[in-house]
Amino acid sequence: MKCGKPLSREEQEYCRDCGNRNYAFEQGRSLWLHVPPVSKAIYQFKFHNKRYYAEIFARELAHEYEGWIRDRGIEELIPVPLHPSRRRMRGYNQAELLAKELSKELQIPAAKNVVFRVRRTKPQKQLDDRGREQNLQGAFGISRQWKAPASVLVVDDIYTTGSTIHKISKLLIRAGVEKVYFLTISIGQGL
């Protein structure tokens, strides 16, 4: 389960985060570390209506990871959902915009109504590992009408501890997906 995090030693197979946990997803990739100027750009994208950044980020992700995505036989892109109240407040879901633009770049369908938030949660960035796990208990649901493909790619803006992607991956696997991968714009460090 390589997540794409930088390794502290060349001979390491996994980053410290992935080496210490058993995730439901196979592996994932992130384009950049979550440090300035990337963190500032994502903040603008997420909270200051810079929706057009989705196009730029998607183009960069496709350029860097198209081969990796094709090699895994990804059949559908699944954006991490926002709770309806948070989406109304923000006006959009940044992961959904990113998945939509990535779909255009790669010609792989983005399925925005597959996974949904059934319960509002606290922002994950305010919590430690244990708090993140508890915060996400029962937070997601999955559409019963959805026909699960063999391999999907969960799309989000930031990978921090993997808790959100892990929970969504478990649901997708229960629904019939064989392999779940993830792709994010950035990844936290020092986990």
Side-chain angles (χ1 to χ4, degrees), residues 10 14 32 95 109 113 123 140 143 150:
E10 190 176 311
Y14 305 115
W32 298 299
N113 294 317
F140 299 104
S143 170

Side-chain angles (χ1 to χ4, degrees), residues 21-45:
R21 298 179 185 194
N22 188 18
Y23 289 116
F25 54 81
E26 292 291 314
Q27 58 179 237
R29 295 290 184 267
S30 295
L31 195 54
W32 298 299
L33 285 175
H34 195 69
V35 294
V38 173
S39 57
K40 289 179 181 181
I42 291 173
Y43 184 81
Q44 293 296 313
F45 173 44

Side-chain angles (χ1 to χ4, degrees), residues 151-167:
S151 185
V152 300
L153 184 70
V154 175
V155 177
D156 204 4
D157 53 354
I158 306 166
Y159 178 102
T160 308
T161 65
S163 299
T164 301
I165 294 170
H166 171 67
K167 290 285 186 192

Side-chain angles (χ1 to χ4, degrees), residues 68-150:
W68 179 81
I69 291 166
R70 301 264 183 238
D71 289 347
R72 273 135 198 88
I74 302 298
E75 298 173 67
E76 226 168 53
L77 309 177
I78 310 285
V80 170
L82 283 179
H83 188 270
S85 63
R86 190 160 287 145
R87 184 186 175 111
R88 274 191 305 276
M89 225 170 54
R90 194 173 295 166
Y92 59 97
N93 174 355
Q94 72 281 354
E96 190 177 299
L97 292 178
L98 186 60
K100 178 182 171 189
E101 293 301 325
L102 195 56
S103 172
K104 289 179 192 174
E105 291 286 331
L106 301 173
Q107 298 301 300
I108 298 172
K112 69 178 186 176
N113 294 317
V114 171
V115 179
F116 50 92
R117 293 241 184 192
V118 294
R119 176 173 81 67
R120 189 169 177 169
T121 56
K122 294 177 189 172
Q124 290 285 87
K125 67 182 178 182
Q126 299 172 356
L127 306 169
D128 62 12
D129 287 355
R130 189 171 184 79
R132 288 170 189 250
E133 286 291 323
Q134 291 171 345
N135 189 41
L136 294 174
Q137 290 296 336
F140 299 104
I142 196 158
S143 170
R144 291 192 174 128
Q145 287 78 39
W146 182 61
K147 302 277 190 260

